[in-house]
């Protein structure tokens, strides 16, 4: 009889201990995974000053001639370091690839044609399409920031897609290999992409209306 | 060796793939209706159709056109009877003629896509084709005339 009672108590202790061990294990695992999470994804620290500062660098790139010439306010692309209106009355067209006998690819090849005043090239050469003009020319920093963040005006892009466009899109990349006689943007593409990421990570703030 | 398809015929071209298509068409294939004006995509004299679009052959490289259909002025129509050619003859458009094959090839793309072009549409399509003789007003009139012929059912 005594033995049986002892046996039962021992069993209960064993069960109790295993439950305790299990819980400790679960808690430990959840703590370690929680700490891993904080390592890969730091909590977003919004910082309007740092965010705006990063955007102002991006703004300088987007409004430099290489980017702006294909994001014009009118329906003609711009040309050259002085951003004059494209000769030959070239127009955007519905799909952004020109009109009739003046389609972009009629002259612009898959790569730059060597020589001064020769057509630059890229397989994706085009303007933004007529229903999504994504104008950079003449936009203030604030206007451009808000436009870039608005999927209705940015080609339906999320902020992740916006970063990807700036960092990886092959036509955007042409700006840094513009061929003879054309000045590339003021900073490298990697530097620009880093500033875009910073702008968004810090809260994607738009500069105030006075910023220039 | 690059095989190109000009006016429905295959040509095997043994030349640098960077050679301008215009050189190939004129000097190797031997079709001299396509003209060399500037060599810099600025004048339109060298316009041919590549995949049905108006391509400037002076900046188009041989290596990029393998197997793609190319049409030159010689094959714009079977018997020089494209509505544009009929209108061009009726209105005596050419002066020296040097730019005219390019003008016709560009205008043909316009008329295919827009059977009833306005003056503005003509400007939008044709402003890249330069004519040193200044035949622009006759070109405009002839395009309107050709559009009319096309609507009336003149087939090339
Ligand atoms: S010769 Fe090609 S555009 Fe002038
Ligand atoms: S007819 Fe002489 S250049 Fe046009």
């Amino acid at each position: 009889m005594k033995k049986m009672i002892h046996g039962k108590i021992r069993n209960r202790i064993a069960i109790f201990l295993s439950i305790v061990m299990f819980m400790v294990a679960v808690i430990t695992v959840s703590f370690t995974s929680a700490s891993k999470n904080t390592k890969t994804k730091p909590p977003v620290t919004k910082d309007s000053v740092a965010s705006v500062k990063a955007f102002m660098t991006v703004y300088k790139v987007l409004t430099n001639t290489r980017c702006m010439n294909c994001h014009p306010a009118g329906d003609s692309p711009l040309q050259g370091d002085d951003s004059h209106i494209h000769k030959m009355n070239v127009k955007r067209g519905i799909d952004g690839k020109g009109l009739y006998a003046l389609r972009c690819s009629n002259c612009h090849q898959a790569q730059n044609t060597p020589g001064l005043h020769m057509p630059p090239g890229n397989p994706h050469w085009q303007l933004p399409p007529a229903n999504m003009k994504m104008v950079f020319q003449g936009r203030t920093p604030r206007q451009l920031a808000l436009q870039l963040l608005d999927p209705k005006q940015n080609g339906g892009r999320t902020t992740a897609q916006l970063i990807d466009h700036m960092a990886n899109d092959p036509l955007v990349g042409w700006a840094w290999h513009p061929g003879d006689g054309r000045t590339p943007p003021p900073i490298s593409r990697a530097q620009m992409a880093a500033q875009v990421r910073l702008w968004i990570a810090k809260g994607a703030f738009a500069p105030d209306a006075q910023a220039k | 060796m690059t095989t190109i398809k000009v006016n429905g015929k295959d040509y095997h071209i043994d030349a640098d793939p960077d050679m301008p298509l215009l050189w190939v068409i004129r000097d190797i294939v031997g079709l001299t209706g396509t003209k060399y004006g500037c060599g810099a995509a600025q004048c339109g004299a060298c316009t041919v159709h590549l995949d049905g679009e108006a391509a400037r052959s002076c900046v188009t490289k041989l290596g990029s056109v393998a197997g793609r259909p190319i049409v030159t002025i010689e094959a714009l129509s079977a018997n020089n009877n494209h509505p544009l050619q009929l209108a061009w003859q009726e209105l005596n458009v050419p002066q020296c003629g040097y730019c005219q094959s390019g003008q016709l090839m560009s205008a043909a793309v316009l008329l295919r896509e827009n059977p009833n072009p306005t003056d503005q549409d003509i400007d939008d399509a044709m402003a890249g084709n330069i004519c040193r003789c200044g035949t622009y007003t006759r070109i405009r009139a002839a395009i309107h005339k050709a559009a009319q012929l096309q609507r009336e059912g003149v087939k090339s």
Side-chain angles (χ1 to χ4, degrees):
Chain A
M1 186 71 186
K2 244 188 179 178
K3 259 188 189 166
M4 266 180 65
I5 291 171
H6 269 287
K8 266 189 188 166
I9 289 174
R10 232 184 279 138
N11 277 351
R12 279 190 193 157
I13 289 173
I15 291 168
F16 176 74
L17 278 179
S18 53
I19 290 173
V20 167
M21 279 164 68
F22 175 73
M23 285 173 66
V24 167
V26 167
I27 289 167
T28 322
V29 166
S30 60
F31 266 109
T32 45
S33 60
S35 67
K36 256 188 211 150
N37 269 347
T38 51
K39 253 182 219 157
T40 50
K41 273 193 181 170
V44 178
T45 11
K46 295 199 173 179
D47 176 344
S48 62
V49 175
S51 180
V52 164
K53 186 164 175 255
F55 180 77
M56 290 308 290
T57 305
V58 177
Y59 179 76
K60 279 206 187 74
V61 176
L62 300 190
T63 51
N64 96 95
T65 44
R66 288 291 81 72
C67 299
M68 191 185 73
N69 281 3
C70 289
H71 287 269
D75 266 336
S76 289
L78 309 173
Q79 280 182 314
D81 279 4
D82 62 353
S83 297
H84 59 268
I85 289 181
H86 197 302
K87 301 284 179 200
M88 307 169 206
N89 195 33
V90 170
K91 295 272 177 72
R92 181 192 305 274
I94 294 166
D95 60 0
K97 296 179 182 173
L99 272 177
Y100 308 126
L102 287 172
R103 301 277 291 166
C104 306
S105 60
N106 296 356
C107 299
H108 296 277
Q109 309 296 309
Q111 62 289 312
N112 295 328
T113 301
L116 285 177
H117 309 296
M118 298 296 272
N122 179 279
H124 309 274
W125 203 260
Q126 67 170 108
L127 292 191
N131 64 359
M132 183 67 70
K133 293 187 182 174
M134 298 186 259
V135 174
F136 293 176
Q137 188 184 19
R139 293 286 190 259
T140 65
R142 180 176 180 78
Q143 287 169 335
L144 190 53
L146 295 175
Q147 175 182 313
L148 289 175
L149 293 167
D150 177 4
K152 287 203 190 72
Q153 298 183 73
N154 76 4
R157 292 180 174 89
T158 61
T159 48
Q161 288 166 329
L162 190 63
I163 292 170
D164 183 59
H165 178 72
M166 307 262 210
N168 302 313
D169 181 89
L171 182 53
V172 172
W174 169 87
W176 283 271
H177 307 278
D180 299 321
R182 284 171 288 264
T183 311
I187 56 175
S188 76
R189 187 175 199 187
Q191 285 168 328
M192 179 195 68
Q195 294 301 311
V196 176
R197 286 193 190 93
L198 192 62
W199 168 47
I200 288 170
K202 293 287 179 190
F205 287 91
D208 66 36
Q210 279 75 48
K212 275 189 204 135
Chain B
M1 189 72 81
T2 311
T3 302
I4 60 169
K5 202 181 248 327
V6 183
N7 300 338
K9 225 173 123 189
D10 282 348
Y11 295 86
H12 307 289
I13 309 291
D14 185 11
D16 186 334
D18 278 349
M19 180 183 276
L21 176 61
L22 177 60
W23 280 211
V24 178
I25 290 172
R26 288 183 55 88
D27 297 347
I28 302 179
V29 176
L31 296 169
T32 53
T34 307
K35 301 297 187 229
Y36 169 45
C38 65
Q42 305 269 354
C43 75
C46 66
T47 305
V48 299
H49 293 174
L50 173 63
D51 297 324
E53 297 293 344
R56 299 198 167 196
S57 60
C58 67
V59 290
T60 305
K61 290 178 175 172
L62 169 63
S64 71
V65 299
R68 297 165 65 187
I70 297 158
V71 175
T72 67
I73 184 70
E74 287 85 353
L76 178 61
S77 64
N79 300 302
N80 293 338
N81 60 348
H82 187 287
L84 284 163
Q85 290 168 309
L86 300 177
W88 246 243
Q89 284 166 35
E90 189 178 324
L91 298 184
N92 271 324
V93 174
Q95 188 72 27
C96 79
Y98 200 79
C99 70
Q100 298 293 335
S101 51
Q103 304 282 2
L104 284 160
M105 296 310 273
S106 289
V109 171
L110 167 64
L111 273 200
R112 183 191 67 211
E113 292 179 13
N114 184 343
N116 195 10
T118 61
D119 281 353
Q120 182 63 53
D121 296 332
I122 294 172
D123 288 351
D124 289 347
M126 302 298 296
N129 284 81
I130 313 283
C131 174
R132 63 191 171 182
C133 301
T135 62
Y136 301 110
T137 49
R138 291 208 293 268
I139 289 172
R140 183 198 298 286
I143 291 176
H144 283 304
K145 176 83 198 167
Q148 182 200 336
L149 293 174
Q150 187 174 263
R151 286 195 302 276
E152 288 166 359
V154 172
K155 293 243 158 54
S156 53

